[in-house]
Amino acid sequence: MAVDLSERAKVMLNKRDFLDHYTMMCLHDPYHKENNKMGYVNLGTSVSALCEDLILKRLNQSDLFQFGLKAQHYYPMWGIPELREAIANCLTRHLAADRPVLPENVLVVNGGVAAMEVLACCLLDPGDVLLTPSPCYTRIFVNFSERFNVHVEDVLLRDESKMSSGEAPTFELNAEILETTIMEQKAAGRKVKAFFLVNPSNPLGEVYSPELVLQLMEVCQRYGLHFISDEAYAMSVYEPQKIFHSILSLRPLPNQQKTHVIWSFSKDLTLAGMRIGAIITWNRELLNVVRNTSMYTAVPAIVQQAAARLLNDSVWLDIIFLPTHRQRLQDAAHRVRDALTALKVKVRPAHAGFFLWADFRSFLPVVNHEEELVLFKKFMEHKVYLTPGSEMKCVDPGWFRVVFTAPSNVLDEGILRIAETLKELTKEQNTQK
């Protein structure tokens, strides 16, 4: 019997994103040290449980979720004034002290994913090209292409360490690589319209310098591209020697009208379930069109009100939550890095985010994507989920993203299962010799 769906729906009918598929698998059978010891340990989904105690205590206080008459009626779907002002003030305090963010430049949507879709809809036509460095957060490809048919192409970053005897840079981004990729796409007859940068990087955990970011922006200006900066981990920089410079703090911008920033509650506030994202833009036409279509991406008023009160509690946010968040990130990152190093797994230096970029090549009998997938399946047999690099568009096989922000006991179990997998694999390889 034929499915009576639209052609575009049929394309999506049996199509499931890799990250979403394995996240759901882990959610349906999660490890618990007492109730489900044989469940999955999820070290592949970038969510943080490190500050659940602080979040639980604060969000259950009576001052946040208070239903008033305003929440019963329609409201500005692009963000109630209180929340847009609270986001603007928060981003100004933490990311742009000398360049205040104005509420009029803030658009509220239901999460970072929605923010990407909105920009796909408003900035690019079907068939246009958006460039992004890879390895990358692969939802970028899905979010821009699935419903709006934007072609997302890689700015390929390579692992140079395997090509030299020293500690060569790995997956280094620079303006020359971006410009070369733009020229290659144009030579192939494609229309390049935008460049998407996740900074701090997911999955590399790198904080890009303001000098590099401005160089990238200058390339985009030269070729008429929109520059989209996804700063979801802006306040999750845990190494004190690294300072993150937001696009919001840089002036003069090469092309302010084609510069757009995404931020959300999911990472920096560890509130993925709240589904609040923000687009910050100076482009009046973009602001107007998003306001005109905001009913599709609206966040419930009562949730917005609570979110505004949370951000406005600067004592809790600035003095209690964020410093604790960063310290716990650092502790967990160092702990997992040391554990992986003890297992003879090299780890790329990271300074931000919820993950480490780990090199498992020495455990592959042949360094190719097929053997990387074999290793991934062996991890899954031991019910520990790590994201293989090939699923993050990494062209060099053998790398995995390891999320370190699980609860402490889950992290312990995950490290144990990684060790068991590698031990078993090494034993099998030695037997075959």
Side-chain angles (χ1 to χ4, degrees), residues 158-178:
R158 301 300 305 268
D159 171 24
E160 303 292 341
S161 64
K162 64 182 181 353
M163 304 175 188
S164 70
S165 57
E167 289 296 321
T170 58
F171 308 104
E172 185 177 16
L173 175 62
N174 57 57
E176 290 74 22
I177 297 173
L178 173 58

Side-chain angles (χ1 to χ4, degrees), residues 21-87:
H21 172 72
Y22 284 99
T23 296
M24 291 302 108
M25 184 183 293
C26 293
L27 278 175
H28 289 135
D29 183 21
Y31 165 81
H32 190 279
K33 64 179 179 179
E34 296 171 357
N35 301 330
N36 192 18
K37 292 183 178 180
M38 300 307 295
Y40 285 101
V41 171
N42 186 353
L43 303 184
T45 303
S46 185
V47 294
S48 177
L50 297 181
C51 289
E52 285 182 333
D53 56 333
L54 300 180
I55 290 291
L56 192 64
K57 180 179 178 181
R58 184 64 188 92
L59 265 68
N60 280 320
Q61 290 176 357
S62 60
D63 63 314
L64 287 190
F65 289 94
Q66 297 178 343
F67 190 86
L69 290 180
K70 280 187 177 181
Q72 185 181 347
H73 301 282
Y74 290 120
Y75 54 93
M77 300 292 178
W78 61 92
I80 61 173
E82 302 98 292
L83 181 55
R84 286 186 285 112
E85 183 175 358
I87 290 173

Side-chain angles (χ1 to χ4, degrees), residues 191-261:
K191 188 175 183 180
V192 185
K193 288 287 294 291
F195 174 64
F196 192 98
L197 180 68
V198 181
N199 184 25
S201 167
N202 176 7
L204 302 179
E206 180 165 353
V207 177
Y208 293 119
S209 71
E211 293 79 15
L212 172 60
V213 171
L214 284 170
Q215 289 168 9
L216 296 169
M217 295 181 79
E218 287 165 2
V219 172
C220 290
Q221 180 194 33
R222 196 150 56 242
Y223 291 92
L225 274 61
H226 288 275
F227 188 99
I228 304 168
S229 182
D230 185 335
E231 302 185 358
Y233 297 95
M235 301 177 204
S236 300
V237 180
Y238 53 81
E239 298 294 3
Q241 71 272 24
K242 279 289 179 178
I243 299 175
F244 173 71
H245 295 269
S246 169
I247 291 292
L248 300 171
S249 70
L250 302 181
R251 294 292 188 279
L253 296 176
N255 190 342
Q256 192 174 54
Q257 289 300 300
K258 286 192 171 184
T259 302
H260 321 283
V261 176

Side-chain angles (χ1 to χ4, degrees), residues 2-10 13:
V3 178
D4 190 18
L5 295 175
S6 69
E7 291 304 314
R8 62 179 174 272
K10 289 175 185 177
L13 181 60

Side-chain angles (χ1 to χ4, degrees), residues 135 157-159 167-173 201 203-208 238 337 340-341 345-351 355-359 399-400:
L157 309 183
R158 301 300 305 268
D159 171 24
E167 289 296 321
T170 58
F171 308 104
E172 185 177 16
L173 175 62
S201 167
L204 302 179
E206 180 165 353
V207 177
Y208 293 119
Y238 53 81
R337 180 200 63 196
L340 291 173
T341 301
V345 177
K346 293 182 179 179
V347 178
R348 188 183 188 275
H351 307 98
F355 30 73
L356 297 173
W357 192 235
D359 179 3
W399 292 82
F400 283 72

Side-chain angles (χ1 to χ4, degrees), residues 254-414:
N255 190 342
Q256 192 174 54
Q257 289 300 300
K258 286 192 171 184
T259 302
H260 321 283
V261 176
I262 295 173
W263 182 77
S264 73
F265 277 50
S266 297
K267 311 305 180 183
D268 283 342
L269 297 182
T270 70
L271 286 168
M274 216 164 184
R275 308 313 305 141
I276 297 179
I279 299 170
I280 300 92
T281 182
W282 298 269
N283 187 306
R284 290 295 165 196
E285 292 182 344
L286 176 60
L287 287 165
N288 287 338
V289 72
V290 176
R291 288 168 184 159
N292 291 343
T293 58
S294 59
M295 190 170 287
Y296 300 111
T297 55
V299 178
I302 190 170
V303 177
Q304 291 198 49
Q305 290 166 354
R309 294 176 187 128
L310 186 68
L311 291 183
N312 287 334
D313 186 354
S314 58
V315 172
W316 179 83
L317 181 64
D318 299 0
I319 298 175
I320 298 172
F321 177 78
L322 286 174
T324 306
H325 171 60
R326 293 181 183 120
Q327 185 61 57
R328 292 181 184 179
L329 284 173
Q330 185 187 64
D331 293 344
H334 290 186
R335 176 182 168 197
V336 173
R337 180 200 63 196
D338 292 346
L340 291 173
T341 301
L343 295 172
K344 302 190 183 317
V345 177
K346 293 182 179 179
V347 178
R348 188 183 188 275
H351 307 98
F354 299 171
F355 30 73
L356 297 173
W357 192 235
D359 179 3
F360 286 85
R361 284 175 299 177
S362 62
F363 295 93
L364 305 184
V366 181
V367 180
N368 58 37
H369 287 300
E370 290 75 19
E371 291 297 334
E372 177 187 283
L373 185 59
V374 169
L375 178 55
F376 168 72
K377 289 179 178 178
K378 286 191 176 294
F379 283 136
M380 291 303 293
E381 287 171 6
H382 285 77
K383 303 194 91 169
V384 57
Y385 167 41
L386 313 178
T387 313
S390 56
E391 291 297 334
M392 307 205 82
K393 303 293 181 179
C394 182
V395 71
D396 295 293
W399 292 82
F400 283 72
R401 186 183 73 171
V402 183
V403 174
F404 56 76
T405 48
S408 182
N409 68 88
V410 177
L411 206 52
D412 288 340
E413 182 66 21

